[in-house]
Amino acid sequence: MTTPLMTRIAAKRDDLIQLTQDLIRIPTLNPPGENYQAICDYLDKRLSAHGFQIQLIRAFGTPGDSEKYPRWNIIARRDGAHAGDCVHFNSHTDVVEVGAGWTFDPFGGEIADGNIYGRGACDMKGGLAASIIAAEAFIEEHPNFHGAIEISGTADEESGGYGGVAYLAEHGHFNSEKVQHVIIPEPLNKDRICLGHRGGWWAEIETKGEIAHGSMPFLGDCAVRHMGAVIGEFEDKLFPAMAARTTDMPVVPEGAKQSTMNINSIHGGQKEQDDAFDGLPAHCVPDSCRIVIDRRFLAEEPLDQVRSEVKGLLEGLRETRPDFDYEMTELNSVLPSMTDKSAPVVETVAQAIEDVMGKAPEYVASPGTYDQKHIDRIGKLKNCIAYGPGILELAHKPDEYIGIDDMLDSAKVMGASLETLLLPNKN
């Protein structure tokens, strides 16, 4: 499809590349939450120059917020010439740790083979850049549009979104009276519409023991061995049970159509020393061992069942294993979320994908949660999807990248969607 708006977006290719590189080069690592103010200031300068009204909002008192690592968010709004709906593009600005295995500078924004490389390129600074280019081109082409466009850059999605979208939703920035359509440019591939996500339940399990001299372990009680029994129960009973459950949700990739659980961390015994310590450990039987579990569940599984299944295994060990004792602490829970395929934003973006790319979209659900959960549960706003450029499987991986052509195509889809939603006479 060739239209004046599509031509205008294509002409912004170099601007899109530079914008994406600039965003990647601001290392917004979370945890701990670095450079949130720096990226908000960058977006403020960029968007205010294009006529957007800016709000900078700090999420005081949210997890991780401090004077050293303040949780800053930006909402930019551009009102049209006439009344109408508001279309909101929401992108998180934080990125995960770099990790090992990179062959590119993680914060260099280097270009190779038509891709831009860097931590956050795919997840999701490329999507943020595409939405900005789409909005700016649309406003230039249609200055008398109806309604409003909002673009937000929000904190902490990678750690739950409580210092970002959750805080904004709690303070009235996402509700059906103020915002009518939400597009979250997460990397689900440029020809897919993501309708929602699986649920998540996180808990810490601690097994208890008794400290004693390591040469006489029979005088103590090893908490690590007790945790080994817990993991054994998971391996023998829980993992096979989860593998047998599947969902009607269109979750991708294929392996995520079943229930899953990740053991996120494990630690038992003495505190790990920092790198400057080169001494030897003391000889002690560990009296505590902790794991954090990350359980992803399906729409067909009630949250109470997810909790009780794990607790039931632990209680079984308490009854059958000598001296077994434990504590389980729930860290967080998120219910599954799904938007109906007949929702206005879904139908609009679907038509735009067909117009721009000449193919019908694939409808999917995400294996992990993202900020739709807060827009849905707190904002009570159901007309919300994830749509953006990038390959989902690259998220959090070394040598993460975003395709330049994919960003341009997604920007065209976003622009075409704005024409449908904010130009009442278009059709």
Side-chain angles (χ1 to χ4, degrees), residues 239-260:
F239 284 111
M242 292 189 299
R245 300 170 194 158
T246 58
T247 182
D248 290 332
M249 297 173 72
V251 184
V252 291
E254 188 66 27
K257 289 185 182 296
Q258 64 186 36
S259 298
T260 60

Side-chain angles (χ1 to χ4, degrees), residues 305-318:
Q305 174 187 314
V306 171
R307 292 188 182 106
S308 62
E309 190 171 35
V310 172
K311 188 173 180 63
L313 293 176
L314 296 171
E315 286 296 316
L317 285 171
R318 196 199 293 271

Side-chain angles (χ1 to χ4, degrees), residues 267 270-281:
H267 181 74
Q270 297 170 42
K271 178 181 178 181
E272 292 182 299
Q273 300 296 327
D274 60 37
D275 293 340
F277 178 78
D278 60 0
L280 298 173

